[in-house]
Amino acid sequence: MTTASRAQAATTSVTEPDRFPAGRPLLIRGATVITMDRAHGILPDTDVLVVRERIKAVGRRLSAPHGAAVIDAKGALLMPGFVDTHRHMWQSVLRGMGADWTLTNYLDAMGKLLPHFRPEDIYAGNYLGMVDAVADGVTTVLDWSHGSVTPAHADAAVDALMAVPGRARWAYGRFPLDASWVTSGEVDRIREARFSSDDQLVTMQLALHPPSDAAGDAAWRYAVERDLPVSSHVGVFGSASDSEVTRLVENGFLSPRTTLVHATEMSDDSYRRIADSGAFVSLSAESDLNMGQGYPPAGAVRRFGIPISLSVDSLLGWSGGMFSNMRAILSAERGLVYLRAHERGEMVTTLDLRTADVVHYATLGGAEALGMADRIGSITPGKLADLVLLRQDTPSMTPVNSTFGHLVFHAGRGDVDTVVVNGRVLKHRGELIGLNLPRARRLAEAARDHVRSAIGEEAWRNLIDPPRP
Ligand SMILES: [Zn+2]
């Protein structure tokens, strides 16, 4: 082996595989534990014991079981893993390509690019997307899988999610508006073949467009009859948001099993009807503000008491991180509140939307939207151990004076030291463990190269840099 290849092997190899074998108890000592459990709040200098896949105990000076792995986390922040309730994972191989796109550019690009995605390209996007999510502390992600345009593409999407030990909800969808595939037997096929148990790391639901015809109504009815959760992009600029909500409500399709993504551009009456139905919303502030789906409606949604979760939407343009998403929703809502007050010649003297609120949206709020709050979303004994430990020794993490404020505005993905999913350590000291990043990179680059050569170099470059007005 040459010096260069040895150096490359050292930087890409999986580290410490033996320190955290499956089944070994894990004790995280002395952290500032942000439980997100309403009964416990923030606990300083606290230990968390993980046995098998669950949080066994949370308390001071816990005794380590025989053979436990111990992580000294004195002064570090320990939080439940982030939950992202809407991400088009297949688009991860196009990361950054749409950084300068409007919604119009996006729809134009998808029309040109998606037809060239083979099942293995969907696999590559989902595989990279899962590795990326876990590395960032997103321990559960809803894959809004509208690249699953054939059964083979769908199987590839599921294969990739199941090949990476993060937690995922696969939301089966298709880009075209025709919903007749839902009742064709295809959903039954893949449910029976791949999702026989609700205890799997990867579970299933549907990703449907708002119904606009009889096939759409039948698809939503299919989901209701089978008690399958549904995520839907409802309320995007240019769509008939209020009539979409009316059709959903009057058919009895909205319930606590529904999450409405974006949910912008609606009347107060629609927000009231959504609140009455018990449905959730997923706010994608970084995406909305940059691509123009509509203004993130945090204020309106909060006013009507609709429960909120957050979502990345896609890696196409912006980051895959929940840190930047928490900041984006705060900046959007606070900026709007200031702007409106200043237009009236008034000062804003105190803020309603707080950093603690957005941390809730990014963790337990997401778990609630997925119907999983009894299992994940907070550091509570008995729940599944999905945990994120942030480093305390970086300049940005010194000193910590306001826990939530620090977590939202000062921490970033570079501070994510340790990630635990289902009791298994997948990242420690910033290094991925048991996640095959070299494979993710190889697959993603091959998929990107295939799609790029299929549309041609000039078209590819024109998509990345669309003409200015
Ligand atoms: Zn979306």
Side-chain angles (χ1 to χ4, degrees), residues 7-251:
Q8 190 179 17
T11 54
T12 56
S13 68
V14 175
T15 61
E16 296 200 76
D18 301 328
R19 189 174 165 200
F20 304 106
R24 184 178 186 187
L26 173 68
L27 183 61
I28 301 173
R29 276 229 189 270
T32 298
V33 180
I34 306 165
T35 67
M36 300 316 292
D37 182 323
R38 290 177 184 92
H40 299 294
I42 297 170
L43 304 171
D45 191 17
T46 293
D47 302 346
V48 173
L49 174 64
V50 175
V51 176
R52 291 185 293 280
E53 72 273 20
R54 290 187 188 277
I55 298 164
K56 175 84 172 172
V58 177
R60 293 272 176 98
R61 317 274 178 271
L62 299 176
S63 57
H66 178 69
V70 178
I71 293 176
D72 177 11
K74 191 147 188 59
L77 303 183
L78 181 70
M79 61 176 293
F82 291 114
V83 180
D84 176 356
T85 55
H86 150 238
R87 187 184 305 201
H88 307 290
M89 299 281 272
W90 66 273
Q91 295 171 340
S92 300
V93 298
L94 305 174
R95 182 200 286 272
M97 188 174 187
D100 293 321
W101 284 356
T102 61
L103 185 58
T104 306
N105 297 141
Y106 167 78
L107 293 171
D108 173 51
M110 288 306 105
K112 291 177 172 138
L113 296 170
L114 178 56
H116 299 294
F117 271 75
R118 305 161 299 177
E120 58 261 50
D121 305 319
I122 298 292
Y123 183 100
N126 276 26
Y127 192 90
L128 172 66
M130 281 294 277
V131 172
D132 186 69
V134 171
D136 198 36
V138 180
T139 53
T140 300
V141 59
L142 179 140
D143 173 24
W144 218 103
S145 189
H146 59 359
S148 293
V149 290
T150 71
H153 289 74
D155 279 317
V158 174
D159 286 342
L161 298 182
M162 290 184 171
V164 180
R167 199 181 300 283
R169 172 71 59 78
W170 182 64
Y172 195 176
R174 290 195 181 176
F175 216 100
L177 292 176
D178 174 24
S180 54
W181 63 276
V182 175
T183 51
S184 68
E186 166 57 11
V187 177
D188 294 323
R189 174 195 72 83
I190 204 159
R191 273 185 88 197
E192 283 162 25
R194 312 299 297 273
F195 299 96
S196 54
S197 163
D198 282 342
D199 292 335
Q200 301 175 171
L201 271 180
V202 184
T203 51
M204 181 189 165
Q205 66 164 76
L206 289 175
L208 301 178
H209 303 295
S212 58
D213 56 16
D217 288 339
W220 280 79
R221 196 164 296 114
Y222 171 96
V224 170
E225 286 169 2
R226 284 159 182 76
D227 197 29
L228 272 174
V230 177
S231 175
S232 188
H233 297 88
V234 173
V236 173
F237 181 78
S239 68
S241 306
D242 291 318
S243 58
E244 287 172 353
V245 172
T246 299
R247 189 171 182 131
L248 288 166
V249 169
E250 291 182 352
N251 282 291

